[in-house]
Amino acid sequence: MKRKVLLVEDNPQNRYLITFLLQKSGYEVVIAEDGEEAVEAVPQHRPDVILMDVQLPKIDGYEATRRIKSDERFSAIPVLALTAHSMKGDRTKALEAGCDDYITKPVDIDVLLRRIEEVLGPQPGSAS
Ligand code: MN
């Protein structure tokens, strides 16, 4: 069974690119476009891992992460924050909100796949 990534990203271009690359790497991808959708998508889709942009409409990625992590049914799902390269404060805030790790934007797909495998273990059936 394919492993499921919840991608939370409000930028359509980033969404398209990251979705394409993850699907190509064998992941199933579900999308949320803002923080509220992200919180609602978790019980609905039960993702294996969450990629959380921090700057989002409605509620931001920090608050969405806090809400997801405060529910004991979902607190074990790893959350990887997507933070702006220049914003060091974002990373601290992401970790304080309960994110397990962060990836700086623009996203390097090799780094992204490595981080996902670090939190999930290698993809079953993958050669590497
Ligand atoms: Mn954003």
Side-chain angles (χ1 to χ4, degrees):
M1 206 159 102
K2 284 190 179 185
R3 295 195 290 185
K4 200 184 288 180
V5 179
L6 171 61
L7 172 63
V8 188
E9 169 62 85
D10 59 315
N11 180 292
Q13 264 178 301
N14 287 344
R15 220 158 46 216
Y16 179 83
L17 182 68
I18 295 171
T19 300
F20 174 78
L21 293 167
L22 287 174
Q23 286 174 341
K24 211 174 126 206
S25 302
Y27 291 95
E28 181 182 344
V29 181
V30 291
I31 302 271
E33 300 187 5
D34 63 52
E36 278 179 7
E37 271 187 32
V39 174
E40 288 163 11
V42 172
Q44 198 181 341
H45 294 289
R46 305 270 178 158
D48 297 295
V49 60
I50 301 168
L51 299 180
M52 181 73 79
D53 181 28
V54 294
Q55 304 298 334
L56 293 167
K58 297 191 182 171
I59 59 173
D60 65 24
Y62 309 114
E63 181 57 24
T65 300
R66 270 192 288 270
R67 292 190 195 180
I68 292 162
K69 290 287 189 178
S70 70
D71 187 325
E72 62 181 16
R73 293 172 299 166
F74 311 123
S75 56
I77 301 173
V79 178
L80 303 178
L82 306 177
T83 67
H85 188 62
S86 55
M87 302 290 281
K88 260 196 173 136
D90 280 3
R91 297 170 215 168
T92 312
K93 278 163 77 179
L95 297 175
E96 282 170 1
C99 294
D100 297 84
D101 204 349
Y102 58 82
I103 298 157
T104 52
K105 297 210 287 186
V107 170
D108 177 325
I109 191 65
D110 292 326
V111 171
L112 178 65
L113 292 173
R114 209 159 53 231
R115 292 284 162 77
I116 291 174
E117 290 207 353
E118 276 167 16
V119 293
L120 292 181
Q123 180 112 280
S126 80
S128 55

